[in-house]
């Protein structure tokens, strides 16, 4: 089972992905975390990524896709992944489908976590990451609306999109996500038996 956790920055994707890892055993793959590791390594690529991330823009698709493709061939991610913060562009979504299908895998469900904008800004200011200044936060929300939100239609057309109310206690959001995933796996089992 491969799951995409979707939603604007600050929606709680990372927190929810960690809970899915803990409770359902799905591997957690965060492109943002991968990039923060590159930045910490202070390599030439890391320095380039740092300036992009700190401006609130998106890392170019070719760099993102290379990181993802490498992860897909890592045995750690072979038995099911929660993608957190990826895909963020239509190109990434299309490439992900292609990379998975050549490996006999696919995305089972896309859960979009919905949170009002004021609450997103409040949460991001609170977590205090170095790319979480108010100006950068506003830019990231703008980039989300412009480049990432259109990916929702792509998954809606495939019938894979489920909406999760994210303005609620962490455990409630977690429960809603688990229910959505379980209802899908039940449906799959039923259709496999028919
Ligand atoms: P996140 O931890 O998901 O909030 O990501 C932090 C930053 O990393 C984002 O603001 C982007 O600059 C970059 N980033 C993470 N994932 C992606 C992606 N899939 N495509 C492009 N840039 C990304």
């Amino acid at each position: 089972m491969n799951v995409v956790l979707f939603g604007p920055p600050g929606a709680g994707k990372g927190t929810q992905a960690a809970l899915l890892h803990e409770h359902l055993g799905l591997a957690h793959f965060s492109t943002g975390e991968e990039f923060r590791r590159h930045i910490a390594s202070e390599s030439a690529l890391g320095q380039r990524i740092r300036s992009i991330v700190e401006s609130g823009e998106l890392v170019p698709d070719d760099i993102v896709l290379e990181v993802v493709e490498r992860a897909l061939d890592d045995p750690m991610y072979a038995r099911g992944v929660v993608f957190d913060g990826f895909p963020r562009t239509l190109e990434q979504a299309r490439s992900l489908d292609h990379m998975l299908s050549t490996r006999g895998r696919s995305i089972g469900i896309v859960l979009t976590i919905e949170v009002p904008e004021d609450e997103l800004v409040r949460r991001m200011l609170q977590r205090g990451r170095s790319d979480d200044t108010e100006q950068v936060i506003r830019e990231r929300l703008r980039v989300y609306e412009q480049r990432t939100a259109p990916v929702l239609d792509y998954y809606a057309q495939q019938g894979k999109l489920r909406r999760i109310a994210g303005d609620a206690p962490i455990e409630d959001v977690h429960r809603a996500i688990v229910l959505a995933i379980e209802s899908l796996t039940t449906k799959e089992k039923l259709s496999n038996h028919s």
Side-chain angles (χ1 to χ4, degrees), residues 31-32 35-36 53 57-59 64 85-86 88 92 129 131 140:
T31 41
F35 296 145
R36 282 186 282 281
V53 168
E57 299 298 321
L58 295 182
V59 173
V64 179
F86 173 85
R88 264 175 155 102
Q92 291 178 20
R129 228 165 59 186
D131 57 336
R140 290 165 74 207

Side-chain angles (χ1 to χ4, degrees), residues 129-175:
R129 228 165 59 186
S130 68
D131 57 336
D132 281 343
T133 64
E134 184 145 5
Q135 192 190 352
V136 176
I137 288 170
R138 297 220 177 274
E139 179 61 13
R140 290 165 74 207
L141 289 171
R142 193 189 66 76
V143 169
Y144 174 79
E145 284 307 325
Q146 203 168 59
R147 301 198 52 203
T148 305
V151 178
L152 287 171
D153 281 342
Y154 176 82
Y155 287 121
Q157 278 165 18
Q158 295 186 2
K160 290 181 177 170
L161 187 66
R162 302 287 177 279
R163 294 175 191 281
I164 301 289
D167 195 7
I170 289 172
E171 309 78 57
D172 294 359
V173 177
H174 174 61
R175 219 167 294 129

Side-chain angles (χ1 to χ4, degrees), residues 90-155:
L90 262 180
E91 166 70 18
Q92 291 178 20
R94 293 198 184 105
S95 298
L96 176 62
D97 275 348
H98 179 72
M99 289 190 289
L100 287 173
S101 74
T102 57
R103 291 165 173 81
R105 291 147 69 179
S106 63
I107 294 297
I109 192 167
V110 178
L111 299 153
T112 183
I113 307 177
E114 300 183 318
V115 176
E117 182 164 329
D118 287 353
E119 174 66 11
L120 293 173
V121 174
R122 198 188 65 79
R123 288 185 189 179
M124 281 189 274
L125 283 174
Q126 224 173 34
R127 73 187 175 182
R129 228 165 59 186
S130 68
D131 57 336
D132 281 343
T133 64
E134 184 145 5
Q135 192 190 352
V136 176
I137 288 170
R138 297 220 177 274
E139 179 61 13
R140 290 165 74 207
L141 289 171
R142 193 189 66 76
V143 169
Y144 174 79
E145 284 307 325
Q146 203 168 59
R147 301 198 52 203
T148 305
V151 178
L152 287 171
D153 281 342
Y154 176 82
Y155 287 121

Side-chain angles (χ1 to χ4, degrees), residues 8-20:
K13 301 186 292 293
T15 302
Q16 294 299 330
L19 287 171
L20 287 179

Side-chain angles (χ1 to χ4, degrees), residues 68-89:
V68 173
E69 181 136 45
R70 204 171 321 132
L72 290 181
D73 291 327
D74 182 331
M76 192 166 103
Y77 298 112
R79 295 203 50 222
V81 184
V82 182
F83 292 100
D84 156 16
F86 173 85
R88 264 175 155 102
T89 64

